[in-house]
Amino acid sequence: MAHQSDLIAEDILAYLKTQEEKSMLRFITCGSVDDGKSTLIGRLLWDAKMVFEDQLATLEADSRRIGTQGQNIDYALLLDGLQAEREQGITIDVAYRFFSTDRRKFIVADTPGHEQYTRNMVTGASTAQVAVILIDARKGVLTQTRRHSYLVSLVGIRHVVLAINKMDLIGYDQRRFDLIRADYEAFAAALGFEEITAIPLSALNGDNVRDHSDKTAWYDGPTLLEHLETVQVPDDAERKPFRLPVQWVNRPHLNFRGFSGTIASGTVRPGDEVVVLSSGRRSRVERLVTMDGDLPLAGSGSAVTLTLTDEIDISRGDVLAAVQNLPNHADRFEAKVVWLHEEALTPGRPYLLKSGAATVPARVGELQFKINVNTLQQEDGDILELNEIGICRLDLDRAISFDSYRENRTTGSFILIDRLSNATVAAGMIHQPLRTSSGGWQDLKLDRSARGELKGQKPQILWFSLEKGDESSELAALVERKLHSLGRHPFLLTAALLRGGLNADLPDLGDPGQEELRRFYETARLCADAGLIVVAQPPAVAPSPRLRERIQADSALVEIRVGPSRLLRGEEGARIVMVDPGSASLPELAEQIVGQIRQGWPQAEN
């Protein structure tokens, strides 16, 4: 049935080995009704030769009986398994499918397009790394496209494929494709996606799904399958602080007491010191127990049972954490909530909040504002209706341990449950802890990083040391405008700006050049401490050795110069980005710089 069938027959162990070594990509398809999501996935399964012979026979029979493609195969029936889905020709529930190619393994979630099933779409997106957002080429960007794009960004997906489908129905018109892509990119600029790849498709005919189509000769990008096989989605969960939400206290007999769960982030090994924030008690890891024996090391995603060297009180719902980097522990926090129930959210009503294995009585204390998914504007409101999104303050009956959702998708997420019907009524993403209900304040270190996190960005000082005269000021201004259009918080700091105020007294000083530069740097540093991305145009003064040492020691400062494009490490360790102008225009140079900011800058060369 599949591309590995020969290897399966010849050497099953070798086949299993190749499967283990492949990377896994989880992605979601979403979009409006009848955009062709199920057909596209069905076509992918078909082209990847992941359809068994008995499934093929059933598919051919079902296509003739209830299909929507005449005598041709209706690929959507591979996904639409429910009777109601087949009768109505729509997707209602989330359908997960596994398939693999020579280069990668995939788990795809096919989600509904109807607004009433938005909750199912959020469920599918919560574990995905890439979103394939389908658009009917005849209709363009619709309300549901915007809604799903916002939800995709909300759950932390940063890589998007804009699959402009049904190109066959518009004669493979490039102009129409370009218009839709531009329309979408203008809307999505504020959503913070790192990558948007637009592909013209006909899922029904297979154009640009696996193979390049001769009907879109004007398109020179990858096919959908090529892109999914090669897209790089960094998984930095193991580099984050250790977190283990305890799901079960394993005590088979009097001589063993272990704490079982799936590691949410980080790594752990015997001897590591861990802490339980609910009691504040610390201990060290004694063993990492599995069915196949003890492990020397376990990382993110591993299901383990962990024993400690000390007998301390730990219950289901507690979080074991690294002592060097603690999670928040509070009974009050701010969160973004997606309401998923027909009965509206009413502040003050009691619910159950479930985060990991912890379930706690909770109330929505205050709805701060709602978010219009079409305009991304904030709107006043007292309640949240079905599928609406808002920023809320939640009060719990007892404190729980958590991270911000941006830092950790597992320990930063929760659901709200109706206490009477036991229905899931909302999904939430935690922003930050708030003052506790007892009146005290959480031990939250308000530093540069914390303030930047609240703004959704990494504070930086972009120190422009360009040698192109007047063009440097224009380039810096372009970078600031581009960052602003992406929803970031930049601030253009120029020497001229300070000369009108803070530095107005400098002509009376002994060395106005050095003092002007020192004040300029200190102002930039303060702005970065406030969480801003400072686009700095310093005065044209060579710093003294002492001042240069201070500037280059600032970990948030990146100096930008003209030259062959690469990243260098300066004498004192400072990062210097060489921007190669080549034949690029200033807007293109600004795009290059902002692109590197969004990617976190490459590794520096020594």
Side-chain angles (χ1 to χ4, degrees):
M1 54 91 189
H3 56 283
Q4 302 95 342
S5 57
D6 293 341
L7 192 56
I8 292 175
E10 295 170 0
D11 189 344
I12 185 63
L13 294 179
Y15 167 75
L16 294 175
K17 182 67 175 175
T18 60
Q19 293 296 307
E20 287 178 0
E21 293 174 349
K22 290 179 185 174
S23 63
M24 171 72 79
L25 181 74
R26 303 178 69 103
F27 69 96
I28 180 178
T29 58
C30 49
S32 299
V33 180
D34 290 335
D35 281 348
K37 299 179 290 298
S38 298
T39 301
L40 177 62
I41 299 176
R43 186 79 202 198
L44 273 174
L45 295 174
W46 179 271
D47 287 349
K49 297 183 175 55
M50 294 302 291
V51 180
F52 292 90
E53 291 184 2
D54 59 332
Q55 289 178 317
L56 174 59
T58 303
L59 177 64
E60 290 175 339
D62 288 346
S63 297
R64 288 193 295 271
R65 185 168 56 89
I66 56 176
T68 59
Q69 304 301 324
Q71 294 303 310
N72 299 321
I73 291 178
D74 187 351
Y75 298 104
L77 296 178
L78 283 170
L79 277 296
D80 292 341
L82 298 177
Q83 184 65 28
E85 291 179 330
R86 295 188 164 204
E87 290 174 352
Q88 299 180 53
I90 63 172
T91 301
I92 296 175
D93 201 358
V94 183
Y96 294 94
R97 289 291 184 272
F98 169 86
F99 69 98
S100 67
T101 66
D102 288 335
R103 305 174 69 176
R104 209 169 209 174
K105 297 180 287 188
F106 301 93
I107 294 178
V108 53
D110 181 29
T111 61
H114 282 76
E115 182 176 346
Q116 70 187 94
Y117 299 122
T118 296
R119 71 197 81 176
N120 298 13
M121 181 267 167
V122 174
T123 302
S126 62
T127 57
Q129 300 161 291
V130 173
V132 179
I133 298 177
L134 276 88
I135 290 181
D136 188 326
R138 300 168 299 172
K139 302 175 183 176
V141 178
L142 302 177
T143 299
Q144 197 67 340
T145 310
R146 298 188 181 94
R147 178 185 299 279
H148 283 179
S149 298
Y150 182 75
L151 290 171
V152 161
S153 71
L154 198 64
V155 300
I157 297 175
R158 294 292 175 262
H159 298 266
V160 166
V161 177
L162 188 65
I164 301 178
N165 192 26
K166 304 187 181 182
M167 291 293 295
D168 54 313
L169 299 183
I170 61 168
Y172 301 94
D173 184 353
Q174 180 185 3
R175 184 172 175 275
R176 177 66 177 162
F177 171 81
D178 290 338
L179 286 173
I180 293 173
R181 178 173 60 181
D183 189 14
Y184 182 83
E185 289 179 344
F187 161 75
L191 296 182
F193 294 134
E194 294 182 9
E195 180 185 39
I196 300 175
T197 304
I199 302 176
L201 293 171
S202 171
L204 187 63
N205 298 331
D207 293 314
N208 293 326
V209 176
R210 184 191 67 176
D211 301 318
H212 288 274
S213 172
D214 56 6
K215 302 181 181 66
T216 55
W218 44 266
Y219 174 71
D220 58 0
T223 65
L224 177 61
L225 194 55
E226 286 174 348
H227 179 74
L228 294 174
E229 285 180 323
T230 56
V231 62
Q232 296 300 312
V233 183
D235 182 7
D236 58 352
E238 289 200 355
R239 294 196 296 272
K240 292 183 176 178
F242 171 67
R243 303 283 188 266
L244 175 67
V246 177
Q247 297 171 314
W248 176 42
V249 179
N250 187 350
R251 193 167 175 78
H253 52 77
L254 292 177
N255 298 322
F256 185 90
R257 185 165 181 261
F259 308 99
S260 304
T262 300
I263 299 175
S265 64
T267 59
V268 65
R269 67 187 73 209
D272 285 354
E273 190 176 15
V274 295
V275 62
V276 183
L277 264 69
S278 59
S279 63
R281 298 289 303 276
R282 297 187 178 193
S283 183
R284 290 192 180 275
V285 177
E286 183 180 50
R287 297 171 56 196
L288 298 174
V289 183
T290 71
M291 288 291 291
D292 299 321
D294 288 8
L295 298 176
L297 174 72
S300 173
S302 301
V304 296
T305 295
L306 183 151
T307 64
L308 303 178
T309 56
D310 304 291
E311 287 291 337
I312 61 176
D313 180 22
I314 301 175
S315 304
R316 171 183 165 86
D318 283 333
V319 176
L320 289 169
V323 298
Q324 298 85 359
N325 197 326
L326 302 178
N328 301 299
H329 190 71
D331 63 356
R332 180 174 292 186
F333 55 77
E334 180 187 85
K336 194 170 288 180
V337 169
V338 183
W339 196 250
L340 306 174
H341 200 266
E342 288 80 3
E343 187 175 348
L345 162 68
T346 304
R349 182 176 173 181
Y351 298 98
L352 292 176
L353 182 144
K354 184 173 177 57
S355 175
T359 303
V360 184
R363 286 179 173 79
V364 178
E366 180 187 6
L367 176 61
Q368 298 179 4
F369 56 83
K370 299 193 294 186
I371 300 171
N372 186 321
V373 297
N374 292 319
T375 63
L376 304 183
Q377 299 298 312
Q378 300 176 4
E379 297 178 349
D380 294 333
D382 298 323
I383 61 173
L384 277 184
E385 302 281 0
L386 176 66
N387 296 323
E388 287 190 323
I389 300 165
I391 303 294
C392 303
R393 189 198 75 211
L394 285 105
D395 301 314
L396 314 184
D397 281 9
R398 64 175 173 83
I400 63 170
S401 300
F402 59 86
D403 295 283
S404 72
Y405 186 80
R406 180 175 289 274
E407 288 296 317
N408 195 314
R409 289 173 72 171
T410 302
T411 57
S413 59
F414 64 88
I415 59 172
L416 289 179
I417 302 169
D418 187 285
R419 302 185 68 163
L420 298 178
S421 66
N422 212 31
T424 299
V425 296
M429 283 64 70
I430 300 174
H431 283 178
Q432 60 179 340
L434 300 173
R435 191 176 68 171
T436 64
S437 57
S438 59
W441 289 86
Q442 291 300 306
D443 183 18
L444 180 65
K445 186 178 180 182
L446 288 178
D447 55 9
R448 177 184 288 178
S449 176
R451 295 186 178 98
E453 182 179 319
L454 192 60
K455 295 177 172 59
Q457 63 188 24
K458 180 180 179 181
Q460 297 184 57
I461 302 173
L462 308 178
W463 193 270
F464 279 76
S465 298
L466 306 183
E467 299 176 357
K468 293 179 66 88
D470 294 337
E471 288 187 348
S472 65
S473 61
E474 186 178 349
L475 178 58
L478 286 170
V479 169
E480 186 202 27
R481 285 161 54 188
K482 181 63 180 178
L483 287 169
H484 180 77
S485 70
L486 293 173
R488 306 299 173 90
H489 298 259
F491 178 66
L492 179 60
L493 179 66
T494 66
L497 184 66
L498 296 193
R499 284 181 189 135
L502 181 64
N503 288 343
D505 61 329
L506 283 184
D508 296 331
L509 296 178
D511 186 358
Q514 289 300 314
E515 179 61 13
E516 181 183 10
L517 185 60
R518 187 192 70 80
R519 294 186 186 185
F520 182 90
Y521 165 68
E522 292 296 339
T523 305
R525 184 182 62 79
L526 289 173
C527 290
D529 287 347
L532 299 176
I533 297 175
V534 185
V535 183
Q537 285 188 280
V541 178
S544 64
R546 184 176 179 182
L547 181 55
R548 185 173 66 242
E549 184 178 343
R550 286 203 61 198
I551 293 174
Q552 294 188 339
D554 193 325
S555 61
L557 189 141
V558 178
E559 185 175 349
I560 299 173
R561 299 178 183 172
V562 173
S565 181
R566 56 189 174 137
L567 182 63
L568 300 174
R569 189 177 295 282
E571 294 178 359
E572 287 77 20
R575 295 185 300 179
I576 303 172
V577 173
M578 307 297 289
V579 180
D580 186 0
S583 59
S585 63
L586 286 180
E588 290 170 338
L589 278 179
E591 289 277 358
Q592 289 180 22
I593 294 169
V594 173
Q596 294 202 53
I597 294 171
R598 298 174 70 184
Q599 294 170 15
W601 303 104
Q603 293 295 316
E605 301 174 15
N606 293 318

